[in-house]
């Protein structure tokens, strides 16, 4: 067969598809360039990209920093912090090398196993299926962000939170879950409003069961 016939057999991409592909590859190169130019660290928010299929939505940098600092203050010197389904806050905590605290991440997404022994596989459907080294009531504060805005998800996550915490709880979830949050964890809505890197349809809020700086200001000024 001639060369022209061979060319006819090759599927041709539309100009729209080609443009979309080109935009995708440019965006990928820019992301990689940013990581290199900024000395990108494995713990930085964005080093593992959010997976919408797992209902993952990362907090923006300011919110993550505010919540991380709040957890450190609440845990106290030498405190233990557990992040339940809250990887972007865990990553912000890990950026603070040298601070006097320890932190674990309980997460369904096994990509976070790169963080070694601090990673604990967690499925909210089995809220107490936890390793033996997680002693009950051994964390000074538990910070939780249930992946779904449902009573079932919050109720089961709450079992884990109550098992782990010595008392202090910082919950991040939708404003529509206020009544359920009070019922299952005894927490109250704070004035501080968390923000995500992408605009979400549902309004998110923070809830605590202790005297917190998040309850005194809707901005992040006290946490900076």
């Amino acid at each position: 067969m001639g060369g022209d016939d061979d060319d006819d057999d090759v599927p041709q991409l539309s100009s729209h598809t080609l443009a979309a592909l080109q935009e995708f590859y440019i965006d990928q190169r820019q992301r990689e360039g940013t990581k290199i130019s900024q000395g990108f660290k494995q713990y930085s928010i964005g080093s593992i990209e959010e997976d919408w299929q797992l209902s993952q939505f990362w907090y923006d940098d300011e919110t993550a920093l505010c919540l991380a600092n709040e957890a450190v203050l609440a845990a106290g010197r030498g405190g233990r912090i557990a992040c339940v389904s809250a990887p972007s806050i865990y990553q912000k905590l890990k950026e603070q090398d040298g601070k006097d605290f320890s932190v674990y991440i309980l997460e369904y997404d096994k990509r976070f196993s790169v963080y070694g022994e601090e990673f604990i596989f967690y499925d909210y459907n089995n809220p107490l299926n936890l390793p033996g080294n997680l002693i009950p009531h051994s964390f000074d504060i538990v910070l939780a962000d249930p992946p779904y805005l449902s009573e079932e998800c919050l109720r089961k996550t709450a079992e884990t939170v109550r098992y782990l915490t010595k008392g202090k709880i910082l919950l991040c979830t939708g404003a529509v879950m206020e009544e359920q949050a009070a019922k299952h964890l005894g927490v109250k809505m704070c004035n501080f409003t968390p923000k995500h890197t992408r605009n979400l349809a549902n309004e998110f809020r923070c809830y605590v069961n202790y005297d917190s700086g998040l309850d005194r200001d809707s901005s992040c000024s006290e946490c900076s």
Side-chain angles (χ1 to χ4, degrees), residues 24 27-28 31-32 35 40 44-52 54 56-58 87 91 109 111-112 115 198:
F24 171 78
D27 180 64
Q28 288 293 99
R31 285 173 180 264
E32 292 304 314
K35 292 178 181 180
F40 207 71
S44 298
I45 295 172
S47 57
I48 295 178
E49 296 185 357
E50 57 195 356
D51 185 342
W52 294 353
L54 295 178
Q56 291 177 342
F57 303 97
W58 295 169
Q91 289 179 308
D109 186 350
R111 290 180 299 168
F112 289 91
Y115 297 124
R198 304 174 192 271

Side-chain angles (χ1 to χ4, degrees), residues 11-211:
Q12 301 295 311
L13 296 176
S14 69
S15 59
H16 176 76
T17 302
L18 284 170
L21 277 173
Q22 184 178 25
E23 184 179 352
F24 171 78
Y25 288 124
I26 290 173
D27 180 64
Q28 288 293 99
R29 286 197 295 270
Q30 287 177 340
R31 285 173 180 264
E32 292 304 314
T34 299
K35 292 178 181 180
I36 294 170
S37 65
Q38 293 181 349
F40 207 71
K41 298 180 180 179
Q42 66 166 331
Y43 294 126
S44 298
I45 295 172
S47 57
I48 295 178
E49 296 185 357
E50 57 195 356
D51 185 342
W52 294 353
Q53 292 183 336
L54 295 178
S55 190
Q56 291 177 342
F57 303 97
W58 295 169
Y59 291 107
D60 67 18
D61 195 68
E62 183 181 11
T63 293
L65 178 61
C66 185
L67 295 177
N69 286 345
E70 171 61 27
V72 172
L73 288 172
R77 187 175 181 83
R80 283 166 53 85
I81 302 169
C83 293
V84 179
S85 305
S88 58
I89 301 170
Y90 168 81
Q91 289 179 308
K92 185 57 68 174
L93 284 163
K94 291 302 296 181
E95 287 180 12
Q96 302 183 33
D97 291 335
K99 286 287 185 72
D100 188 14
F101 64 86
S102 60
V103 58
Y104 284 81
I105 175 173
L106 285 75
E107 172 60 48
Y108 184 81
D109 186 350
K110 292 185 178 179
R111 290 180 299 168
F112 289 91
S113 63
V114 297
Y115 297 124
E117 294 181 356
E118 292 179 356
F119 168 80
I120 297 164
F121 176 75
Y122 173 70
D123 182 350
Y124 78 86
N125 288 299
N126 298 293
L128 298 182
N129 184 19
L130 303 170
N133 64 327
L134 283 190
I135 301 170
H137 314 304
S138 59
F139 288 91
D140 296 282
I141 184 170
V142 177
L143 195 157
D145 185 354
Y148 301 104
L149 298 182
S150 71
E151 191 276 339
E152 179 194 23
C153 182
L154 178 57
R155 172 170 48 82
K156 290 181 176 179
T157 301
E159 285 189 59
T160 308
V161 172
R162 292 194 303 267
Y163 177 86
L164 294 175
T165 186
K166 292 180 180 179
K168 292 180 180 178
I169 298 167
L170 200 172
L171 174 71
C172 300
T173 190
V176 297
M177 303 301 293
E178 181 177 11
E179 184 177 336
Q180 296 295 333
K183 175 182 176 181
H184 293 295
L185 287 171
V187 292
K188 294 183 179 180
M189 184 184 289
C190 300
N191 290 324
F192 174 70
T193 303
K195 295 180 174 61
H196 294 77
T197 56
R198 304 174 192 271
N199 292 325
L200 304 184
N202 296 292
E203 180 187 1
F204 268 66
R205 299 302 294 265
C206 294
Y207 304 80
V208 295
N209 66 343
Y210 62 94
D211 183 24

Side-chain angles (χ1 to χ4, degrees), residues 2-16:
D4 290 342
D5 291 335
D6 291 342
D7 290 341
D8 290 341
D9 292 336
V10 177
Q12 301 295 311
L13 296 176
S14 69
S15 59
H16 176 76

